C-alpha cells in the first residue's frame, strides 16, 4: 500500500523517508546520466562544437533516454504521486507569499509529467526497437522536468518536520536590533549566510562583534535597507539552524532554463585560438581577421561580445537579488558592460584599419628551428664548465 492511500487523520500524507529519498536519488542518478551523456556527445563534435558523427550522437541520446527511464522506474515511480500529494498539503499550510503560485504551477507540471510517464510505462514498446527509442525520447522532457524541479516538492514535503521557536519578545528584539545597528555602523556586523523562509522573508546570520566578543545573531529583512530586525541570538550555527525558520529553495534567474535540456552550444572560436592565429600570422590581414573574430556578432559571437553578454547577464542576476547591494552591483556591472561595448567598437575599427594596411612581417624576423641538428658521430661532447669549489666550513 502506498503512502498516498494511508492518509493521517487530518487528511495529510505521512512524509516517510522513502518519499524524499526517492526523489533525491533520482536527481543524483540523473546528474550522473547527464554528465556521461555530455562526455559521449562531446566525442561526436569537432573542436568548435559542431556535430560531425550524427549516428554516434543519436546513439548517445538514446542511451541517455533509456537510462533516465530506468532511473525513474527504480527510484521515483513508487513514490511520485505520494510525494506530490504531501507537497500540495504542505503548500496549503504555508502563509501567503509571492512564490507560492509558482510552486503550485511546478507541482501541477510534475503531476502532468507523471501522468505521461505512467502512460508510457504501462504500454512499453518492444525492447531495442526504434519505437522504444522514440517512446523514450518523448519521455525525456518529462523525466528532465522531475530532475530539474522535484527538489521543490521534496522541500515542501520536508517543511512539516521543521518547527522553529517563537522570536524574541518586543523589548528584547528592540534591544538586540539597536545593538546590531550600532555594530553595523562601525563595520562590526559580519554577515555570514542568508536564505529565505517560507513566508518569503530573508533571514541572514551575522556575527555581532562587541568589545572583542562575537555573538551569532539572526536578522529578518535586507541588512542594507531600513527596517531589518534581529529575531534571535545563538551560541553557534547548529543552535540557530534548529531555532530559525527552515530555508526554502532559492529561485532562478530565468524560469525556462533547464540543466537537463540545455540548448545546443553555438560553435565558437576561443580567445586562445585567436591569439595563436596572430602569432602564426604573417600578414596584417591575418592579425586583422583574428581581431575581428574577437568582436564578431551574430550567430557565432566572439569572446569580447560574449564577455559583454556575461556582464549584462550578471547585472540581471544581481538586480534579481532584490537587495540594496544587489541593485548597486547591478548598476556597476551594467556600466562595465557599456565600457566593453565601447571597447568592442574600438577594437573593430582598429582591426579594420589593420586589415587595410598592405604589409607583411619583414624577412629578418626569421623562425628558429625547434629541432637542433645532431652532432657528428666523431664529435667530442662539449667540455662542461668547471665546478665551483666551495670552501669547507669548520666548526
Amino acid at each position: 500500500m502506498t503512502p498516498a492511500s494511508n492518509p493521517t487523520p487530518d487528511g495529510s500524507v505521512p512524509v516517510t523517508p522513502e518519499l524524499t529519498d526517492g526523489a533525491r536519488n533520482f536527481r543524483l542518478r540523473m546528474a550522473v546520466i547527464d554528465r556521461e551523456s555530455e562526455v559521449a556527445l562531446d566525442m561526436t563534435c569537432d573542436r568548435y562544437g559542431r556535430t560531425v558523427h550524427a549516428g554516434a550522437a543519436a546513439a548517445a541520446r538514446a542511451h541517455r533516454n533509456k537510462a533516465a527511464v530506468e532511473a525513474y522506474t527504480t527510484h521515483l515511480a513508487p513514490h511520485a504521486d505520494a510525494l506530490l500529494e504531501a507537497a500540495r498539503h504542505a503548500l496549503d499550510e504555508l502563509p501567503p507569499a509571492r512564490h507560492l503560485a509558482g510552486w503550485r504551477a511546478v507541482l501541477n507540471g510534475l503531476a502532468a509529467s507523471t501522468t505521461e510517464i505512467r502512460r508510457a510505462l504501462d504500454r512499453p514498446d518492444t525492447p531495442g526497437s526504434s519505437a522504444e527509442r522514440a517512446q523514450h525520447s518523448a519521455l525525456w522532457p518529462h523525466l528532465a522536468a522531475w530532475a530539474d524541479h522535484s527538489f521543490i516538492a521534496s522541500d515542501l514535503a520536508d517543511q512539516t518536520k521543521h518547527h522553529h521557536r517563537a522570536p524574541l519578545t518586543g523589548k528584547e528584539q528592540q534591544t538586540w536590533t539597536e545593538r546590531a545597528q550600532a555594530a553595523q555602523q562601525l563595520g562590526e556586523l559580519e554577515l555570514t549566510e542568508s536564505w529565505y523562509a517560507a513566508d518569503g522573508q530573508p533571514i541572514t546570520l551575522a556575527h555581532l562583534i562587541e568589545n572583542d566578543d562575537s555573538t551569532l545573531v539572526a536578522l529578518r529583512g535586507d541588512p542594507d535597507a531600513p527596517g531589518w530586525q534581529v529575531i534571535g541570538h545563538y551560541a553557534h550555527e547548529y543552535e540557530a539552524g534548529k531555532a530559525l525558520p527552515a530555508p526554502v529553495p532559492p529561485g532562478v534567474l530565468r524560469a525556462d532554463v533547464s540543466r537537463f535540456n540545455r540548448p545546443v552550444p553555438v560553435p565558437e572560436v576561443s580567445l586562445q585560438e585567436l591569439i595563436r592565429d596572430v602569432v602564426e600570422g604573417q600578414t596584417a590581414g591575418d592579425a586583422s581577421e583574428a581581431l575581428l573574430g574577437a568582436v564578431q556578432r551574430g550567430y557565432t559571437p566572439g569572446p569580447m561580445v560574449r564577455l559583454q553578454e556575461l556582464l549584462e547577464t550578471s547585472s540581471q542576476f544581481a538586480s534579481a537579488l532584490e537587495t540594496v547591494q544587489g541593485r548597486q552591483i547591478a548598476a556597476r556591472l551594467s556600466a562595465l558592460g557599456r565600457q566593453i561595448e565601447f571597447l568592442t567598437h574600438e577594437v573593430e575599427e582598429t582591426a579594420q584599419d589593420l586589415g587595410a594596411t598592405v604589409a607583411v612581417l619583414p624577412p629578418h624576423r626569421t623562425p628558429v628551428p625547434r629541432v637542433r641538428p645532431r652532432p657528428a658521430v666523431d664529435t667530442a661532447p662539449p667540455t662542461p664548465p668547471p665546478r665551483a669549489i666551495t670552501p669547507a666550513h669548520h666548526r
Side-chain angles (χ1 to χ4, degrees):
M1 182 175 292
T2 64
S5 61
N6 236 343
T8 59
D10 64 354
S12 64
V13 176
V15 181
T16 61
E18 289 79 7
L19 294 186
T20 53
D21 287 351
R24 185 187 70 251
N25 292 336
F26 175 72
R27 290 193 297 271
L28 293 174
R29 178 61 186 141
M30 282 289 285
V32 173
I33 292 171
D34 180 63
R35 180 56 186 157
E36 292 174 346
S37 174
E38 283 188 350
V39 172
L41 290 173
D42 284 345
M43 297 179 65
T44 68
C45 300
D46 63 10
R47 58 193 290 192
Y48 301 114
R50 295 174 297 212
T51 300
V52 292
H53 303 291
R61 292 191 182 92
H63 178 76
R64 175 202 67 181
N65 299 341
K66 182 178 180 180
V69 170
E70 294 173 349
Y72 182 90
T73 303
T74 301
H75 299 294
L76 203 50
H79 314 294
D81 290 327
L83 177 61
L84 290 175
E85 189 174 347
R88 283 197 177 99
H89 184 271
L91 187 62
D92 292 338
E93 299 297 319
L94 294 179
R98 290 171 56 187
H99 54 269
L100 298 190
W103 283 0
R104 197 174 300 280
V106 168
L107 296 181
N108 292 338
L110 293 179
S113 292
T114 302
T115 300
E116 294 297 323
I117 297 171
R118 184 186 300 110
R119 182 180 294 116
L121 294 181
D122 288 343
R123 303 182 208 175
D125 285 298
T126 305
S129 65
S130 58
E132 184 190 52
R133 289 193 295 272
Q135 185 183 60
H136 290 172
S137 178
L139 288 181
W140 171 255
H142 301 290
L143 298 166
W146 266 99
D148 277 321
H149 308 309
S150 62
F151 70 94
I152 291 179
S154 298
D155 188 86
L156 280 169
D158 274 337
Q159 283 290 324
T160 57
K161 300 179 182 178
H162 300 282
H163 303 284
H164 64 277
R165 284 186 288 215
L168 301 174
T169 63
K171 182 63 176 176
E172 290 175 324
Q173 189 175 73
Q174 181 180 353
T175 300
W176 278 94
T177 300
E178 291 174 352
R179 290 170 61 180
Q181 289 173 344
Q184 186 184 45
Q185 293 176 357
L186 298 174
E188 295 185 343
L189 185 67
E190 299 179 356
L191 309 183
T192 61
E193 186 180 359
S194 179
W195 68 87
Y196 276 89
D199 61 0
Q201 288 293 317
I203 306 294
T204 304
L205 291 182
H207 289 289
L208 172 60
I209 303 173
E210 298 173 309
N211 301 322
D212 296 329
D213 188 24
S214 177
T215 304
L216 184 67
V217 296
L219 320 177
R220 180 184 291 274
D222 183 357
D224 296 303
W228 59 268
Q229 294 178 320
V230 174
I231 60 173
H233 56 91
Y234 313 95
H236 42 69
E237 284 79 0
Y238 180 72
E239 181 186 2
K242 292 192 301 181
L244 290 169
V248 299
V252 294
L253 179 60
R254 296 174 182 171
D256 59 345
V257 172
S258 167
R259 172 184 176 181
F260 299 93
N261 274 320
R262 292 171 176 159
V264 178
V266 176
E268 59 184 16
V269 180
S270 69
L271 191 59
Q272 183 176 355
E273 291 191 56
L274 295 175
I275 295 173
R276 188 189 63 194
D277 289 343
V278 175
V279 172
E280 296 178 351
Q282 294 180 311
T283 70
D286 296 333
S288 173
E289 289 182 7
L291 286 171
L292 290 174
V295 298
Q296 178 175 317
R297 304 173 189 274
Y299 178 69
T300 55
M304 290 192 67
V305 178
R306 287 294 194 194
L307 176 58
Q308 182 187 359
E309 182 182 356
L310 173 62
L311 292 172
E312 292 176 349
T313 306
S314 300
S315 175
Q316 295 170 9
F317 184 95
S319 178
L321 294 175
E322 299 183 5
T323 63
V324 171
Q325 281 200 6
R327 287 188 289 271
Q328 294 172 349
I329 294 173
R332 292 169 58 190
L333 288 169
S334 181
L336 289 172
R338 291 192 296 270
Q339 294 179 31
I340 293 295
E341 171 70 15
F342 172 79
L343 184 60
T344 299
H345 284 298
E346 288 293 304
V347 172
E348 186 174 8
E349 292 182 5
T350 305
Q352 292 172 348
D353 292 342
L354 181 60
T357 302
V358 182
V360 298
L361 293 175
H364 66 262
R365 303 185 66 88
T366 57
V368 177
R370 296 177 62 89
V371 180
R372 300 292 184 178
R374 287 186 176 185
V377 176
D378 56 351
T379 301
T383 304
R387 296 179 58 185
I389 301 176
T390 305
H393 295 279
H394 300 279
R395 293 184 179 181

